Amino acid sequence: MTATARQAALLRLSTAVAAAETERAICRAVTDGLYDEALGYDFLALMLVDEATGERELVATAGPGDVPVGLRIRPGTGLSERPLLDGQLHYTPQVTHDTRYLPTRNEGSEVDVPLHVNDRLVGVLVVESNHAEAFGPDDLEILRAAADQAGIAIGRARLLAAAQQRAAEEEALRATMGDLSARLELTGLLQAALDRAVTLLNVTHGELATYDPVAEELVVVASHNVGKTDTTGTRMKIGEGAMGHVARTREPLIIERYGEWAGRSDQYAQVEFHGVLVAPLLIGGQLVGAIAVMDKDPKRRFGAADLRLLNLFAPQAAVAIENARLFAAERRRAEEQQALLATMRDLAGELELSRVLQRVLERAASLLGVTGGELATFDPARRDLVIVASHNMGTNAVGTRMALGEGAMGRVAETKEPVIIPRYQEWLGRSTKYQQDTVQSVMVAPLLVGGRLVGTIASVHSDPSRIFGPEDLRLLESFASQAAIAIENARLYTASRQQRQYFEELVLNNPVAIVTLDIEHRVVSCNPAFERMYGYAEAEVLGRDVDQLITTEEMRAEAEAYTRQALAERPVQLLSRRCRKDGTLVDVEVLGVPVVVDGQRVGAMALYHDVTELLHARQAAEAANSAKSQFLASMSHELRTPLNAIIGYSELLREVAAERSDVELGGDLEKIHTAGTHLLALINDILDLSKIEAGRMEMELEPVLVEDLLSEVTATVGPLVQRNGNHLVVEPAGAVSTVRADHTRLRQVLLNLLSNASKFTTNGTITLHTCREDGAVLFRVQDTGIGMTPEQAAKVFEAFQQAESTTARRYGGTGLGLTISRRFCEMMGGTLTVASAPGEGSTFTVRLPAAPPAEWVAP
């Protein structure tokens, strides 16, 4: 299809997506729009993530097949999960080669594109083709654009739906709260709150109860059409009935059939309602009461929408109910808060940890009007408390350690709950480390930051008539939360200062040249090693462009490109050259990393390591290795000719010895012949490897008849296979007729693989299998021999390596055959790989390009 047709298809897609109003309509518009002849995609699916289960739900498809909408795919399976793990587009040229592939109608290629809504991954667009490697860069760009457009449209639809729903609810709640806030008389307020809830949820019954903290009971204070008589005044224990259950759990409750519910109260044995919905009335986690709505219609089922609406109403109603009670208490607390804020303001100006700890304790004692106190911090390494501050306790216990659970502070540290001890001298849990008779009343609170234990603070009083109560504890807890933050800030400041000093020393004393840059490539700081390497003083480089400073005109463009890459949050590592102040060049290894603070890119850090000596050493080593390879490659004739003469003469003399029936001489000549042949094979391997390394090995690539090649190889290797009692199985080449290769080198490779299989297999089976796969011809040599571990298989292709030393001693060999074979395969445009397991044998696979039929001309 033409580019014009593709553009028209994309325009139709954009129009359809823009016109869709609902989330699912948008998904259908995307799949239908992409399933256009001009685009050429065979199947499309759009899946959205269920946030509750993590499953992908199929919401729209286009293309052939019976894939049902609503199909769910669990996490951990399928190719389409990958974009949800990293937020990136994934292209699979051949789906059946991927381990995550789930068998489906598609065996070609697939593109999986993430869907983002406001930076949140909400789904994935799946696009399939029946052909492998079917997608190009233009397709990926189109699919990214389609996914972006879909994400924007879905986000818009979700926002619109949520806004409409919130507007309706907020209007109803606004009217309800407006009515409630206009009432000042408590009894009327309570009944009005209940009546509004009944109306808002459209139910037939309702009750409202407040919490009596002294009796620890709920009291029904308002009733709407419940029972034959007014239930106002009914009391329920915490945990009794539906409202008692909610008061205990502080969580809402839905009961579908109250008459069958095992937890119903005996006080409500005769009721006509069926469904029940109850929510706690809470203010800042503190229980105010509970509200229940009921309905007598058996078909009325309370659901998530009802619960959400009641949960929106409940806190507002709780606030309205508590306003009358809290007015006087708030005025009293305002004075306390003023004193507390003044204390915290004073503490906030102090960052030295030791002084903060002492002042925290002194301020707490003053604020609470007590005799004295102690403060302990938690040591996470030793899992105990250590007293770090003491105020007017008679005996200074600073440095004393207490185990978790020991004494009052140890108990609070263990439970993370405050405690009041009216008569400490009579308390059985007191620590033996505290024997002062002056301590009478004790109050301890934990110091917590986000639920994490920082320490504990204790206030004590010597007057036996001073009894700490709930108000004292409330004030101490208010103080403790702020004090914990002040202590933690001081601790973090001290730790930060120490860490900063550590890293400053690390950079200053580092032998590697280090420079930090801002986002404009300007130097922010540099260490002494940078000054020494480039010959600049720090004052000369600050504020200057680093690439203008240490590069020449020829190398500047490349250096600037790498700096931009490092600043773009992509680390850079390379070997390059840089220029000193005096104009001389230095070989360096450059490492550039981005500097990100609180998610914002603020600059980069560059490290320059002088590798001049390392490069010279490597060049010398490479030159020596090249000279060795050139020497060995040129010595082929000089090394082989004497050995061929030795082997030839040994064969001649062996015949003479046989004619003379000289057994002893014949045995010696056989040893000479065997040793010479072995040495010649070793030299041939070394010379082949040297030729490869010297670049003097030439390949004559031409179509090779596979059937003839297999006949040659099996005929040659037959005696060797039978020597260890093995059986050779050659599977027919079938449709494989030719392969593009060097006939001699491929024959050498196969002979080497079969020879190895014969050597490491005893009384087993060796299989030579040939097939065509993905435009290539495969030769597999499989044995049932000793096999290899993964570690052994990883180094089997290294020069002069065998699986292990014991193998070399037992089976012999130079360790060069597989190295040369792999290099031959690579020079012929192919590969040589191995799969093996100990005791299960090994499989070596040669993969070479198949020769096109047109290239082959019969002789």
Side-chain angles (χ1 to χ4, degrees), residues 108-126:
S109 51
E110 178 176 318
V111 177
D112 300 285
V113 191
L115 294 181
H116 293 85
V117 172
N118 297 329
D119 296 329
R120 289 177 55 246
L121 285 169
V122 300
V124 59
L125 172 64
V126 180

Side-chain angles (χ1 to χ4, degrees), residues 203-205 225 272-275 294-300 302:
V203 294
T204 58
H205 312 285
N225 196 28
E272 59 181 357
F273 50 80
H274 292 271
M294 300 80 82
D295 202 279
K296 62 182 179 181
D297 185 358
K299 296 181 180 179
R300 177 72 157 96
F302 293 112

Side-chain angles (χ1 to χ4, degrees), residues 191 194-195 197-198 203-208 220 222-227 231 243 273 277 291-295:
Q191 189 62 49
L194 177 62
D195 293 342
V198 169
V203 294
T204 58
H205 312 285
E207 273 189 341
L208 189 149
V220 176
S223 177
H224 182 95
N225 196 28
V226 177
T231 57
M243 286 197 290
F273 50 80
L277 172 61
I291 185 169
V293 293
M294 300 80 82
D295 202 279

Side-chain angles (χ1 to χ4, degrees), residues 489-503:
N489 285 343
R491 177 184 290 175
L492 290 175
Y493 170 77
T494 302
S496 175
R497 184 178 60 187
Q498 293 172 346
Q499 188 178 50
R500 184 172 64 251
Q501 290 175 350
Y502 170 78
F503 281 108

Side-chain angles (χ1 to χ4, degrees), residues 459-782:
S459 295
V460 303
H461 208 286
S462 58
D463 185 356
S465 63
R466 174 72 155 96
I467 304 298
F468 294 119
E471 287 300 309
D472 297 302
L473 183 58
R474 179 187 56 78
L475 187 56
L476 181 62
E477 287 185 304
S478 298
F479 180 87
S481 62
Q482 300 299 323
I485 295 173
I487 292 171
E488 190 67 5
N489 285 343
R491 177 184 290 175
L492 290 175
Y493 170 77
T494 302
S496 175
R497 184 178 60 187
Q498 293 172 346
Q499 188 178 50
R500 184 172 64 251
Q501 290 175 350
Y502 170 78
F503 281 108
E504 286 176 353
E505 290 297 321
L506 184 65
V507 172
L508 288 173
N509 297 312
N510 201 306
V512 176
I514 301 175
V515 62
T516 57
L517 313 174
D518 62 17
I519 57 175
E520 300 297 332
H521 303 196
R522 294 188 294 261
V523 177
V524 176
S525 66
C526 67
N527 69 341
F530 184 90
E531 299 177 50
R532 291 192 298 271
M533 176 179 288
Y534 293 108
Y536 290 102
E538 184 178 23
E540 296 180 88
V541 301
L542 293 180
R544 297 186 59 181
D545 187 308
V546 69
D547 294 317
Q548 296 284 339
L549 194 68
I550 60 172
T551 64
T552 63
E553 290 292 339
E554 293 76 12
M555 64 178 70
R556 187 159 301 148
E558 179 190 34
E560 290 176 344
Y562 284 123
T563 303
R564 287 193 297 271
Q565 181 178 338
L567 285 167
E569 300 187 23
R570 297 193 302 273
V572 174
Q573 185 173 11
L574 69 148
L575 290 176
S576 186
R577 280 189 164 187
R578 292 294 181 264
C579 184
R580 297 188 178 97
K581 182 179 180 180
D582 61 7
T584 59
L585 299 179
V586 56
D587 293 305
V588 291
E589 179 185 15
V590 184
L591 175 63
V593 293
V595 177
V596 179
V597 178
D598 293 332
Q600 295 294 320
R601 178 168 49 87
V602 299
M605 177 179 288
L607 293 83
Y608 303 91
H609 181 211
D610 187 346
V611 294
T612 304
E613 294 183 2
L614 292 176
L615 288 179
H616 289 167
R618 187 173 75 174
Q619 291 167 358
E622 289 175 350
N625 185 60
S626 177
K628 176 266 297 180
S629 298
Q630 292 285 353
F631 171 76
L632 291 175
S634 64
M635 289 295 292
S636 173
H637 179 73
E638 286 77 1
L639 291 172
R640 284 178 171 145
T641 299
L643 277 174
N644 284 327
I646 292 171
I647 293 170
Y649 278 111
S650 66
E651 290 176 349
L652 178 62
L653 292 173
R654 190 171 53 179
E655 293 176 2
V656 173
E659 291 175 359
R660 297 178 178 178
S661 300
D662 191 336
V663 177
E664 183 177 357
L665 181 59
D668 293 336
L669 291 171
E670 180 65 29
K671 293 177 183 177
I672 293 173
H673 182 270
T674 300
T677 303
H678 177 74
L679 183 57
L680 180 61
L682 174 60
I683 291 175
N684 284 337
D685 284 347
I686 294 174
L687 291 175
D688 282 345
L689 183 60
S690 298
K691 280 187 176 182
I692 293 171
E693 292 178 347
R696 295 177 57 180
M697 179 64 71
E698 297 180 357
M699 289 284 171
E700 296 183 5
L701 301 180
E702 59 183 356
V704 176
L705 287 174
V706 173
E707 186 176 352
D708 292 349
L709 175 66
L710 296 183
S711 297
E712 293 178 33
V713 170
T714 53
T716 304
V717 82
L720 183 60
V721 171
Q722 297 172 4
R723 183 179 302 170
N724 284 346
N726 296 313
H727 174 62
L728 177 62
V729 176
V730 180
E731 297 182 353
V736 182
S737 58
T738 61
V739 61
R740 183 175 179 271
D742 183 304
H743 182 280
T744 302
R745 300 308 177 189
L746 179 54
R747 179 177 181 273
Q748 184 176 344
V749 169
L750 295 178
L751 284 174
N752 183 54
L753 296 179
L754 289 168
S755 174
N756 279 351
S758 302
K759 182 166 58 175
F760 296 109
T761 306
T762 302
N763 298 323
T765 301
I766 299 170
T767 304
L768 175 57
H769 171 71
T770 308
C771 65
R772 185 184 294 271
E773 183 179 291
D774 297 334
V777 173
L778 273 61
F779 297 89
R780 287 196 179 94
V781 176
Q782 183 176 8

Side-chain angles (χ1 to χ4, degrees), residues 64-141:
D66 298 323
V67 182
V69 172
L71 174 71
R72 287 176 172 265
I73 302 176
R74 67 180 185 275
T77 60
L79 296 173
S80 61
E81 187 181 45
R82 296 175 298 174
L84 302 177
L85 300 177
D86 59 10
Q88 302 296 318
L89 178 147
H90 285 266
Y91 172 35
T92 309
Q94 179 63 60
V95 296
T96 57
H97 290 178
D98 197 295
T99 57
R100 299 174 66 94
Y101 169 67
L102 293 174
T104 62
R105 53 164 292 283
N106 180 36
E107 296 183 352
S109 51
E110 178 176 318
V111 177
D112 300 285
V113 191
L115 294 181
H116 293 85
V117 172
N118 297 329
D119 296 329
R120 289 177 55 246
L121 285 169
V122 300
V124 59
L125 172 64
V126 180
V127 186
E128 298 178 355
S129 173
N130 296 333
H131 305 286
E133 301 182 356
F135 295 90
D138 290 342
D139 296 298
L140 303 184
E141 190 65 27

